[in-house]
Amino acid sequence: MTNAVPFTVLPEAVGGNTRGAPDGTNLSTLTLFTPNVVTSATLDGRPFTMGPSTERGLNVWDSPQFAIPPGATVTLVIELEGGLDLSRAYRLKILPQPVANPDRFTSTLEVANGTVAGTDEQEKQLFDDDPLEAPTTVRVRLDG
């Protein structure tokens, strides 16, 4: 995640905050809905604890608030464990937030027991820093 807001050209009322973070800092949280379990998460390589809950039959994992300083990029890596019914494909749905600039997303699907349909590959790039402005769903057929 990158904080590309040009704080130096924005008024204090837009880029400032009342939470004690430096001006221009983006204070964020992330919620992940999945049928799986988060086994580990890191933020810029450091352990990052996500709190479990449930909603609508899915596991919900909420992050604590984290800061993205002005002009900085942070990387959040989340590892999941659990089974999925892949008989009709793997499906990933992303619901980006309404923001001034489109969210950009990178994701790679790694297949442990099988391959991506029509290939001998066990890995498929789903998004490569793609801008996402609306709910986006990707389906990938797999061979067992």
Side-chain angles (χ1 to χ4, degrees):
M1 294 166 270
T2 300
N3 179 354
V5 174
F7 176 69
T8 57
V9 299
L10 296 174
E12 173 78 19
V14 176
N17 70 75
T18 59
R19 297 181 183 169
D23 288 343
T25 300
N26 178 305
L27 298 173
S28 295
T29 59
L30 178 112
T31 301
L32 175 68
F33 291 82
T34 177
N36 301 116
V37 174
V38 172
T39 57
S40 72
T42 60
L43 182 66
D44 287 339
R46 292 184 305 277
F48 190 69
T49 301
M50 298 187 70
S53 185
T54 59
E55 186 176 324
R56 296 183 162 218
L58 292 174
N59 294 324
V60 179
W61 299 86
D62 293 309
S63 78
Q65 188 175 70
F66 57 96
I68 308 172
T73 296
V74 299
T75 301
L76 179 60
V77 175
I78 301 171
E79 294 187 13
L80 304 172
E81 183 177 276
L84 294 173
D85 177 2
L86 299 174
S87 61
R88 294 193 332 221
Y90 171 80
R91 183 175 67 119
L92 173 66
K93 185 171 188 174
I94 303 169
L95 303 169
Q97 297 295 308
V99 290
N101 298 311
D103 287 338
R104 301 185 77 81
F105 196 76
T106 300
S107 176
T108 303
L109 173 64
E110 294 179 17
V111 183
N113 297 311
T115 59
V116 175
T119 74
D120 290 328
E121 302 294 320
Q122 289 188 291
E123 186 174 289
K124 178 173 177 65
Q125 185 83 33
L126 303 180
F127 298 96
D128 188 11
D129 196 31
D130 295 333
L132 302 176
E133 297 177 353
T136 303
T137 301
V138 173
R139 294 178 71 97
V140 179
R141 290 192 46 238
L142 304 173
D143 292 328

